[in-house]
Amino acid sequence: MLKVDVIVDLQYGDCGKGKVAHYLSHTTKYSHVLRYNGGCNAGHTIFHKGKKFVTHHIPAGVFFGIRSIIGPGCVLDPVQFFREIKMLEAGGVRTRGKIFIADNTHVITGAHKAEDKKKGGKIGTTGRGNGPAYRDKYGRTGVRAKDIPKLKPYLINLYDEWFTLSGVEGFKKNNARILAEGAQGFGLDIDWGDYPFVTSSHCTTAGALLNGLPPQSVRSVWGVAKVYETYVGSKKFQPKGEVFKRMGDIGEEFGSTTGRRRQTNWMNMQTLERAINMNGVTHLVFSKVDVLRTIKLWAVIDKKKVLKFKSEKAMKDFIIKRLKPLGLARNRIYFSEHKDRI
Ligand code: IMP
Ligand code: MG
């Protein structure tokens, strides 16, 4: 039977999904890596064999020759897609015969991008055309990948890919093992984020399933969070205080897609709890512990209060205790302090 592991960002994007996807892609055996939502608004920073890559559309499986699928939960910009393939090839990554697009995936057009650049300022969108592309999809006036001749060599029927899996080396028929890699984050989700300061897609475990995956197939859900929060967009997010500017500087908190400075804050435990519960998180990776270690301050927000800790250990102990009632045991919580591993 088909099995799926899902990666979901529990905050506002940029928590290190790319790193976790890259890590799982070579430590667990997968037949496919699926990108399940978003478009080229996403920017995944991945360190592969010591080299830095920023991907927007193509899932991390491609670095290991795993079949990498862009699912119909996504919207795809063909211009960016071909640019990305070129960038990967130039960096020494073999992409031939490894990258596929579900034929029912909707496409971002030049008109979508022009409109988003003009009108996206109020929300602070990335200007990549995602909102207009999803709007046209739901308005039933969209363009799909199967309508674009240049994309033809990459198109697949996702039903056949998932359920009649055959000829994939090392995997039995009907036994697909899928890593589902998301974009953006729960705090930007169209339904559960702070509307209208949200993206246009479903950044949830449920959003992964919308790509033709049965609910019983979910094996584990890897939540990813930072030990502090960042948000990029138009709403006011960062509180007053020098420490938040330092966090941004030391954490190099600039958008990998637009280069905008990300706003920062302490991690909010209640927001995190909500994201863990709604996404059914079974494993949790906290990124960027090294950043707080450098600024030598340890704090979180819980029940609207800032809780300060004397040491890194005290903060980690608090977090572990706080998450235990949510079903997250210590051995499923990872504190990561490296760019290239968890
Ligand atoms: P859009 O997704 O370009 O429509 O932008 C909507 C909101 O989501 C804005 O606040 C963007 O900055 C934010 N956003 C979109 N994609 C990402 C991402 O990959 N990481 C972080 N923020 C994102
Ligand atoms: Mg990013």
Side-chain angles (χ1 to χ4, degrees):
M1 196 192 144
L2 172 153
K3 293 279 176 216
V4 185
D5 295 333
V6 180
I7 301 175
V8 58
D9 184 309
L10 304 176
Q11 295 160 338
Y12 304 90
D14 310 311
C15 288
K17 285 180 299 293
K19 177 176 71 177
V20 175
H22 184 268
Y23 171 80
L24 289 176
S25 291
H26 67 91
T27 52
T28 309
K29 201 174 163 216
Y30 294 111
S31 54
H32 300 86
V33 183
L34 161 79
R35 249 299 288 283
Y36 62 79
N37 76 299
C40 50
N41 46 354
H44 288 174
T45 307
I46 290 171
F47 289 84
H48 182 67
K49 295 186 182 161
K51 243 190 237 169
K52 179 178 167 178
F53 293 86
V54 178
T55 59
H56 299 282
H57 275 311
I58 299 170
V62 74
F63 291 97
F64 304 98
I66 304 168
R67 291 170 84 79
S68 294
I69 316 272
I70 294 161
C74 301
V75 286
L76 176 94
D77 176 355
V79 179
Q80 178 60 43
F81 174 72
F82 287 111
R83 200 179 287 154
E84 200 164 318
I85 289 180
K86 255 199 195 146
M87 177 277 291
L88 289 167
E89 287 282 348
V93 181
R94 297 287 308 269
T95 65
R96 231 193 130 107
K98 300 297 176 196
I99 298 173
F100 304 93
I101 304 165
D103 59 7
N104 52 344
T105 303
H106 276 251
V107 159
I108 300 171
T109 65
H112 290 145
K113 287 188 271 190
E115 180 186 340
D116 199 17
K117 276 197 193 105
K118 235 197 248 163
K119 298 188 189 155
K122 261 202 296 197
I123 310 293
T125 71
T126 57
R128 297 302 176 96
N130 291 264
Y134 279 111
R135 179 203 57 213
D136 284 355
K137 165 175 168 168
Y138 289 103
R140 286 150 294 169
T141 54
V143 179
R144 298 206 281 184
K146 63 167 80 160
D147 303 321
I148 309 284
K150 264 180 87 180
L151 294 177
K152 210 165 188 160
Y154 300 93
L155 299 183
I156 49 164
N157 174 309
L158 205 49
Y159 180 80
D160 294 344
E161 186 71 30
W162 289 163
F163 293 97
T164 55
L165 177 75
S166 61
V168 179
E169 206 188 319
F171 294 90
K172 280 198 221 114
K173 208 168 170 330
N174 303 327
N175 242 10
R177 293 285 177 269
I178 302 161
L179 178 62
E181 171 190 321
Q184 290 86 46
F186 190 64
L188 293 172
D189 178 79
I190 182 74
D191 290 320
W192 302 107
D194 182 13
Y195 192 89
F197 298 100
V198 294
T199 191
S200 304
S201 66
H202 300 282
C203 320
T204 54
T205 302
L209 298 184
L210 293 174
N211 293 262
L213 299 169
Q216 302 90 325
S217 65
V218 178
R219 189 168 57 177
S220 54
V221 178
W222 287 74
V224 192
K226 267 182 208 171
V227 282
Y228 54 93
E229 288 180 2
T230 63
Y231 159 82
V232 53
S234 289
K235 74 173 174 186
K236 181 159 169 24
F237 183 81
Q238 183 169 317
K240 283 211 172 82
E242 190 56 26
V243 60
F244 300 111
K245 189 175 169 296
R246 287 199 67 208
M247 231 179 241
D249 288 341
I250 291 164
E252 297 170 35
E253 297 296 354
F254 295 89
S256 52
T257 298
T258 59
R260 289 178 292 174
R261 192 180 178 100
R262 297 175 186 142
Q263 300 183 60
T264 61
N265 198 354
W266 301 118
M267 169 163 74
N268 186 312
M269 297 305 297
Q270 281 183 300
T271 322
L272 184 75
E273 178 172 14
R274 184 170 174 265
I276 291 170
N277 282 333
M278 278 197 163
N279 288 290
V281 171
T282 61
H283 297 71
L284 179 45
V285 180
F286 288 103
S287 298
K288 294 207 161 179
V289 174
D290 52 317
V291 175
L292 293 192
R293 194 180 293 155
T294 307
I295 60 177
K296 297 196 181 77
L297 285 173
W298 303 96
V300 298
I301 297 171
D302 202 9
K303 304 187 178 112
K304 303 204 164 111
K305 283 201 190 95
V306 177
L307 308 179
K308 293 189 172 152
F309 302 95
K310 288 212 170 81
S311 65
E312 177 176 336
K313 180 168 183 309
M315 178 161 147
K316 285 180 175 168
D317 287 348
F318 172 84
I319 291 172
I320 290 163
K321 205 168 159 201
R322 179 74 170 75
L323 298 183
K324 204 170 172 204
L326 309 184
L328 280 164
R330 172 70 190 97
N331 62 355
R332 291 179 171 202
I333 300 173
Y334 304 78
F335 291 96
S336 170
E337 47 193 74
H338 303 282
K339 285 181 172 166
D340 58 350
R341 65 200 132 104
I342 68 173

